[in-house]
Each structure stands twice: as structure tokens, then as C-alpha cells.
Amino acid sequence: MSILVYIENVEGALKKSAFESLSYGKAVGDLTGEKVTALSIGNVSQEELNKVGQYGVEKVIEVNSSDLGQFVNQAYASVIAEVAKSIDAQTVILSNSFSGKGLAPRIAAKLGAALADGAISLPTISGSIWQIQKSVFSNKAIATEELQEQKKVIALTPNSLEATESAVPVAIEKYEPQVAAADLSTVIKDIVRATDKVSLPEADIVVSAGRGLKGPENWAMVEELADVLGAATACSKPVSDAGWRPHAEHVGQTGLAVTPNLYIAIGISGAIQHLAGVSASKTIVVINKDPEAPFFKVADYGIVGDAFEVVPQLIEALKAYKNN
Amino acid sequence: MKILVCLSNVPDTTSKITFTDNNTAFNSNGVQYIINPYDEIALSKAVELAEGEKGTVTVIHVGEAAADATIRKALAVGADDAVRVNATARDAWFVANQIANYAKSNAFDLILTGRESIDYNGAQVQGFLGELLNIPSISIAKKLEINGTEASVEREIEGGKEVLSVTLPIVVGTAEGVAEPKIPNMRGIMTARTKPLQVVDAIDVPVLSKISHYDTRAPRGQVKLIDKADIAQLVQLLHSEAKVI
Ligand SMILES: Cc1cc2nc3c(=O)[nH]c(=O)nc-3n(C[C@H](O)[C@H](O)[C@H](O)COP(=O)(O)OP(=O)(O)OC[C@H]3O[C@@H](n4cnc5c(N)ncnc54)[C@H](O)[C@@H]3O)c2cc1C
């Protein structure tokens, strides 16, 4: 019996969430005494694959066939399940990333496994029953899910558990999967990626702004603040509805749920639907000119003031801090 | 084109979430239920695609009779008929098996779900359905167009988007951008009462997992207010106290 960790890459570079999944896999392996193997699909360099060892995992299975160069949900799910069977893995771990959300249920169904998606804790193990926590009701509560099946698939929420390093040497083993033509029926026509920006779901720091900013022309200062902090940018729903910012930046109940270390909310009222997607952030800073704005109730730090005065000063203060 | 829309009946977005029985069960007392907002997007898209005799829209819900009001609302928005699998929706695996079982005997070209439900936030049903029906499934679709038997789908990826082309039948989990939620008009509300709502029995599905208990999130401490004349103090606190920069 063993544990399989699927590690995602973007254009050949392993994602931050891949390292989180590896650390998680290693920690689960320490609990169960099972060996942990990583699985990479796509064209990833040896140098990049060697990084797996930094997280305590000694073996990587590398699948690099030309028809699997890009992510195809059905085909990747088949390959992951096939590899899991070939090494007798009882547990498959992956990130609950955008791709992971598509993969996890398919892999679980193929293996007849219990699925814990959106996991935010390590399992508590008693016999074959594992208990794992996840966020439910749009972050308003935490549920403890009991996995009763011997086989398990765990999809880990990005940013919920930090990657921890413990270096070991890595062996890389190539694997040729049997991919059925039917699994490759989805054709990727185009991929558009904003390479110069920090990816919002994985960001450690998120700078977010709302209708208080009055219009898209005022976002330059938000971008600048994000730049200084190495942060991703986000927005409230009315802002993306109005077309001031792309929908992909909209966070909240109907947008993206994020869990960064630091969330800075500028000119956002803190409506319950907005909080649903951001209240699990570790530290929250709110800048709002209305001292009664509901966001102050969930914030760690607050500044009551006009964003157009406060944000430029904050940028200056951060620059001064960075230069020190 | 035959379209199936999967509906989840969820607590209204502003509901206060509490639990009973020693925090082992959700307390639905006094909670107002609505169509899951993402499913509303799926439904609106389906109605749009079927307009002008181009297809039919069936909605399916796995749940108890209490959800019939939600199902009627979907009929008022423009679905042609509805199916309720009469059972407690135990978990996503159970729900997906019921829907797949129904879909197997009713060849649909397009099955739409929301990207996730706002109660258990699972995002599981679309993938389970794809696997159980052995057809492609696409999670987090931001755009969906159908041209004959081909679908063009824009899928969200970290920091960007991906455009896919895929042959029907498929399952798609819809998100914002796919369609604007439609509001039922008077005529819709009147006709909804007369549209067929079929109730079918559930099939047995083994239990693979279950929620053992719930915890509410610990309340945050009081906010520390910082004078706008002393913004350097905020930077200091973020560094030394919160340790996030
Ligand atoms: C079903 C449903 C789902 C929803 N999902 C989401 C979601 O996912 N995400 C989301 O964000 N919303 C969502 N909403 C909408 C939500 O209810 C609020 O309408 C929205 O979050 C408000 O956005 P806002 O705070 O940017 O705007 P507003 O409510 O207009 O608030 C603007 C804030 O800016 C402050 N302000 C104004 N000028 C300045 C200034 N110069 N300097 C500083 N502060 C200033 C104001 O005091 C105010 O607090 C949803 C609503 C529904 C019904």
C-alpha cells in the first residue's frame, strides 16, 4: 500500500500547490507508515522534478507523452487512476485547484474511493476511518468529513497548509500510460494566461477593491499596492459586473474563495456574500471611509479613511519599509 | 437538443448557519431555501439555448418534497419539466448516482450543474456525473456556446482561461459569465403550476463518507484601528505582529 500525490505544473514549472500537496502527502505517509510517490504529467524538466525531494518524497513517476502535453480532464483522471492502481495506492492526494476540482471526483469514481474535497486539515486516523476538515456554507462553518472507504482521494485547498521542507534524494521513473482515444476527445483551442500577474487562488497576499473606488480608472493605485507587496489583485462582485475588472478577479460567495495570509480590502463594504469568499484569510486589513462598514467587524486591522488618501500613503510606507 | 439541469436547494445567501444535535446536523429551522446561485446560471443558460424550439430543458433535483417550491421556481424561469428523486440528498456521491441513473435512460445532449453548491461547496457532482456516464465533464465554465453537436467552452484556469472544443454529450459546471440569472415573469409563474413534476424513487448507493460534525469558526478578535495619519504603524504591525510581510 502506498500514497500517490499528483503534482500540477504550469508550462513545465511545478505549482506552489504541488509543493503543498507533496508536504501533505509526506505528512500523511508519516501517519500511516506508507511510502509516498509523486506523479507528474506533462513536459517537466528533470531539474524541476528533483524539487520533489525537497518535500521529503523520494520517488516521482513521470508521464510525458505528446498527447498529454496539455491538461485534458478525462485523460488525466484516467492516467492518475491507472498509476494509483499500478503502485497499489490506497490514497490519492491532489490540489483542489481549478483543474483539481475537475479531476478529484472522476478519480474517486474510478477507484471507488471516498472523496474529501477542499481539505483544510491533515487526517485524524483511527483504523480505516479518516476524519478530515473542510470549509462549508461558504466559509461560515467547518465540517469534519469521515471517510469510511479503504480507498481515499483527498483534494487539498490551496494555501490552507504550508509546504514544509525535508530534503531527500529523488528517483525519477518514466511511465507510459494506456490512454484511450475517447479520453482525449476534448480539444484545447486556446490558452490565455496573464504571466506577469500573481495567480489569485495561490497568492499569499491579495489586494482587493470594491465600488468605493468609483471607476476602473482608479485601479492603478491598487495595482501598484499589489506590486509593492508581490500580491494578486481581486475585487467585489459589482466591480466585475460593471466590467471595471475581469470576472476572474471577483471573490466571494459567487466568485472565488481565497485564503491568503493577508487580505487587504479597499472600499469594500463587507457584505455577507463578499465575506463568504474571504473571511478565512489569516489576516484582514480594511480601508473604508465609513466607520460603520460591516467589514470592520471581521478585520484584524482597520483604517477609517478615504482610499484615495490612504492607499498612496500606504504604498509609500511599504516602499520605505522594503528599502530598510 | 435535450438539456438536463441539476438543481441544488440551498440556504439563502444571508442565512445564519447553525447546527443541532450536538453540532452533528444542520439546523434548517427558519432557513429560507433558494436555487443554488450557480445552478440558476446553468438554468438560465439552458433556457437560452432551448429558446425558439431549439431544445427542451428538464430540471432534476434529488431531495424531499420541501424542495418543490424551488423546483417550481425553475419551471417558472422556463424549464419544460422537472424530476425529483425522492430521497434525502445524503452527499454528492449519492446525488450524482441518482442523476446519472435517470440520465442513462433519457439520453441528454447537455447536462448542466453549477460549478459548486454554496452549502457544501463540493464541486463534485459534475465530475462524478461525467465519470458515471462516461462522457467529458468540464468544471468552472465561464462561457458556453453550442454549435450543432459541438460545444465551445471557456474554462477558468489559474491566472487565465482556456478555450475547449468538445463533442456532445457533455457535463458542464457553470460559473458567472455563462449567463445572467433570469427572473421569472408572471406568465412563467402561472404556467409553472401546470408543468409536469415527476417524482421518482431513489436507487441504493453505498455510503463512502459522511459528515460527523460541524464547528463554527472562532470569532475574530476586535479590529485594531490605526490612525490614517500614522500608516507606518500598520506596516510595522503587519511585519512584527501579524508576520505577513
Ligand atoms: C446571491 C448573491 C451573491 C453575491 N455574491 C457576491 C460575491 O461573490 N462577491 C461580492 O463581493 N459580492 C457578492 N454579492 C453582492 C454583495 O451583496 C454586495 O452587493 C457587494 O459585495 C458590495 O460590493 P462593494 O462592497 O464593492 O460595494 P458597496 O456595497 O457599494 O460598498 C462600497 C464601500 O466602499 C466604501 N467607500 C466608498 N468610497 C470610498 C472611499 N473613497 N474610500 C474608502 N472607502 C470608500 C463605502 O463606505 C462602502 O462600504 C452577492 C449578492 C447576492 C445577492
Side-chain angles (χ1 to χ4, degrees):
Chain A
M1 293 204 303
S2 68
I3 294 167
L4 183 67
V5 180
Y6 166 60
I7 48 174
E8 265 181 63
N9 73 83
V10 176
E11 285 159 6
L14 292 179
K15 286 170 62 172
K16 180 180 154 213
S17 63
F19 301 131
E20 292 169 358
S21 302
L22 284 167
S23 301
Y24 188 90
K26 166 80 169 86
V28 175
D30 287 347
L31 289 172
T32 61
E34 287 167 302
K35 210 169 124 38
V36 184
T37 303
L39 166 63
S40 161
I41 308 177
N43 190 5
V44 182
S45 69
Q46 306 289 298
E47 190 192 348
E48 196 64 16
L49 290 178
N50 277 330
K51 288 187 185 165
V52 163
Q54 289 169 19
Y55 301 90
V57 174
E58 290 164 12
K59 192 171 135 192
V60 194
I61 294 178
E62 182 193 10
V63 172
N64 184 12
S65 56
S66 55
D67 47 3
L68 294 169
Q70 301 285 9
F71 175 75
V72 177
N73 190 21
Q74 241 176 319
Y76 274 44
S78 292
V79 171
I80 297 167
E82 183 186 318
V83 171
K85 283 180 194 157
S86 79
I87 63 165
D88 190 27
Q90 301 290 308
T91 307
V92 175
I93 293 165
L94 71 166
S95 168
N96 202 36
S97 62
F98 291 149
S99 302
K101 281 178 203 273
L103 285 171
R106 294 199 78 120
I107 299 167
K110 279 181 198 293
L111 298 175
L115 170 60
D117 74 310
I120 56 169
S121 75
L122 277 169
T124 309
I125 299 179
S126 75
S128 68
I129 294 186
W130 293 19
Q131 290 195 331
I132 297 182
Q133 292 185 314
K134 71 169 284 189
S135 236
V136 289
F137 296 102
S138 307
N139 274 331
K140 289 180 204 159
I142 293 168
T144 296
E145 182 113 25
E146 220 168 70
L147 308 185
Q148 301 173 330
E149 217 26 60
Q150 187 72 42
K151 290 197 173 156
K152 296 163 179 89
V153 172
I154 304 173
L156 181 65
T157 297
N159 259 345
S160 55
L161 294 162
E162 250 170 65
T164 45
E165 300 204 14
S166 60
V168 292
V170 194
I172 301 172
E173 198 176 278
K174 290 198 188 291
Y175 183 88
E176 285 285 335
Q178 309 280 321
V179 185
D183 278 349
L184 290 164
S185 66
T186 304
V187 180
I188 296 163
K189 296 277 185 185
D190 193 17
I191 295 180
V192 184
R193 227 187 284 274
T195 41
D196 57 328
K197 295 199 77 173
V198 179
S199 150
L200 178 55
E202 297 194 321
D204 282 328
I205 303 180
V206 174
V207 175
S208 186
R211 203 146 56 176
L213 283 218
K214 313 279 188 291
E217 66 281 4
N218 295 324
W219 245 262
M221 68 178 186
V222 178
E223 303 257 12
E224 193 183 349
L225 177 58
D227 246 15
V228 175
L229 286 165
T233 51
C235 67
S236 67
K237 176 170 153 62
V239 163
S240 59
D241 283 350
W244 300 356
R245 299 296 291 178
H247 262 304
E249 283 197 5
H250 146 211
V251 292
Q253 179 146 34
T254 47
L256 189 68
V258 290
T259 48
N261 284 329
L262 174 59
Y263 184 81
I264 303 183
I266 307 162
I268 303 177
S269 58
I272 192 163
Q273 297 89 355
H274 184 83
L275 297 182
V278 306
S279 59
S281 305
K282 274 156 219 131
T283 299
I284 297 178
V285 173
V286 169
I287 300 167
N288 197 305
K289 68 176 183 190
D290 173 11
E292 303 297 323
F295 224 138
F296 285 115
K297 292 206 175 67
V298 297
D300 299 285
Y301 303 102
I303 296 183
V304 179
D306 190 323
F308 297 97
E309 282 170 36
V310 174
V311 175
Q313 288 182 39
L314 179 56
I315 292 169
E316 287 317 310
L318 280 164
K319 280 185 181 162
Y321 158 79
K322 294 254 144 132
N323 287 336
N324 255 315
Chain B
M1 180 167 55
K2 281 184 71 178
I3 309 171
L4 183 67
V5 179
C6 309
L7 288 188
S8 179
N9 189 37
V10 297
D12 171 24
T13 36
T14 56
S15 303
K16 191 162 168 47
I17 302 299
T18 57
F19 304 96
T20 55
D21 299 342
N22 230 347
N23 281 350
T24 57
F26 174 65
N27 182 7
S28 58
N29 225 327
V31 170
Q32 173 85 27
Y33 280 83
I34 57 167
I35 302 179
N36 181 40
Y38 297 116
D39 303 354
E40 223 172 359
I41 294 171
L43 173 64
S44 303
K45 185 67 198 186
V47 170
E48 235 175 82
L49 288 169
E51 251 159 20
E53 315 276 295
K54 286 211 283 287
T56 58
V57 179
T58 302
V59 293
I60 185 164
H61 171 69
V62 180
E64 289 149 15
D68 284 354
T70 297
I71 298 174
R72 289 277 173 215
K73 177 160 178 227
L75 291 170
V77 166
D80 298 288
D81 61 347
V83 178
R84 181 167 61 80
V85 182
N86 191 24
T88 308
R90 205 174 60 207
D91 55 35
W93 175 238
F94 179 83
V95 168
N97 271 280
Q98 306 303 333
I99 298 172
N101 181 54
Y102 177 79
K104 270 177 193 157
S105 49
N106 290 277
F108 289 96
D109 303 295
L110 181 62
I111 301 180
L112 299 180
T113 72
R115 63 175 274 187
E116 67 185 59
S117 68
I118 62 164
D119 49 5
Y120 293 97
N121 305 104
Q124 299 179 16
V125 171
Q126 45 83 27
F128 281 146
L129 280 177
E131 196 57 38
L132 291 167
L133 297 169
N134 200 15
I135 56 177
S137 57
I138 297 157
S139 59
I140 325 190
K142 308 291 271 186
K143 249 190 204 142
L144 167 65
E145 268 144 36
I146 307 285
N147 204 336
T149 57
E150 284 294 306
S152 166
V153 190
E154 210 174 279
R155 183 177 82 87
E156 182 151 25
I157 57 175
E158 279 83 358
K161 63 182 181 188
E162 191 177 85
V163 183
L164 306 170
S165 168
V166 51
T167 307
L168 304 180
I170 53 170
V171 186
V172 182
T174 61
E176 292 237 310
V178 166
E180 281 302 318
K182 287 193 198 312
I183 298 156
N185 56 26
M186 206 53 211
R187 192 171 156 270
I189 295 167
M190 298 305 286
T191 53
R193 290 196 207 135
T194 58
K195 288 180 178 172
L197 193 173
Q198 186 194 350
V199 178
V200 301
D201 287 334
I203 53 165
D204 276 344
V205 177
V207 178
L208 304 181
S209 67
K210 68 164 208 267
I211 291 176
S212 69
H213 64 275
Y214 298 89
D215 294 291
T216 37
R217 287 190 174 271
R220 283 178 185 263
Q222 269 259 322
V223 57
K224 243 185 214 170
L225 286 180
I226 289 141
D227 193 335
K228 63 178 179 192
D230 191 11
I231 285 173
Q233 194 202 347
L234 174 65
V235 176
Q236 211 43 53
L237 286 169
L238 291 178
H239 173 69
S240 58
E241 190 177 73
K243 300 192 165 53
V244 287
I245 61 169

